[in-house]
Amino acid sequence: MVYTPMNWGTNHWVGLCINLWTSNVTILDSFITENPTEAHVDVQMTPILKSLPYILEQYVGYTVYQISEGVRFYSWNRVEGIYHNKRGGDCVPCAAKFMEMHCNGDGKEEMSLITDRFVDKIRKQYAMDWYEEFVGDYRVANEAI
């Protein structure tokens, strides 16, 4: 399983869970109204789905997609019924949290329990984590004050 965020357009992020064994990409999208139909999602996913087998073969030597019937094509599905954000700017932390939850074995039932208040907490925690990672430990930085 490979997890990666993906930017759709200029202002929307989703989480992708790429299952190399089943050749399926699960899309974790907190703002489905941005791309409400299968046609909208196809526009975003088709370049990825078509290029994945070639990328995997070229860069990691992954050739399991070659099966007796021929080339295995990747498909996508979008998890429905999970938290839907109605505010702008929440798709990045939601995509990250959804991928984390999926990786830990949580399903759509758990992802549907997320609330706006919980997303606010996620944003604060990610901000602190990023600050500590890229700037330094805030406790050490504030000791001289």
Side-chain angles (χ1 to χ4, degrees):
M1 189 70 72
V2 176
Y3 294 91
T4 185
M6 181 179 178
N7 184 265
W8 286 3
T10 59
N11 61 354
H12 182 54
W13 289 85
V14 298
L16 301 182
C17 310
I18 305 167
N19 188 324
L20 299 176
W21 291 112
T22 64
S23 301
N24 185 67
V25 179
T26 299
I27 303 166
L28 302 170
D29 186 358
S30 68
F31 196 56
I32 289 179
T33 53
E34 181 75 12
N35 293 283
T37 68
E38 286 187 20
H40 286 99
V41 177
D42 277 338
V43 167
Q44 304 297 332
M45 292 302 297
T46 296
I48 297 297
L49 299 179
K50 285 187 175 181
S51 62
L52 258 173
Y54 304 104
I55 292 169
L56 292 170
E57 182 178 23
Q58 180 68 31
Y59 295 103
V60 295
Y62 183 81
T63 57
V64 173
Y65 71 89
Q66 294 286 348
I67 55 176
S68 60
E69 304 91 54
V71 176
R72 180 180 294 175
F73 294 99
Y74 279 77
S75 61
W76 64 265
N77 69 294
R78 182 163 54 177
V79 179
E80 306 240 352
I82 59 179
Y83 167 77
H84 179 76
N85 101 52
K86 297 174 180 76
R87 310 177 298 183
D90 286 343
C91 58
V92 173
C94 287
K97 190 63 175 176
F98 287 156
M99 289 186 292
E100 177 186 341
M101 292 175 78
H102 190 276
C103 180
N104 287 321
D106 294 329
K108 73 178 198 175
E109 295 78 24
E110 290 85 3
M111 292 180 203
S112 70
L113 299 175
I114 294 176
T115 63
D116 289 344
R117 184 177 222 178
F118 184 70
V119 173
D120 291 340
K121 289 180 182 180
I122 293 169
R123 292 174 72 109
K124 289 176 188 174
Q125 185 61 52
Y126 285 159
M128 294 303 294
D129 291 346
W130 292 338
Y131 183 87
E132 185 175 348
E133 179 71 25
F134 297 111
V135 177
D137 187 343
Y138 70 91
R139 293 170 292 224
V140 174
N142 290 328
E143 281 181 1
I145 297 176

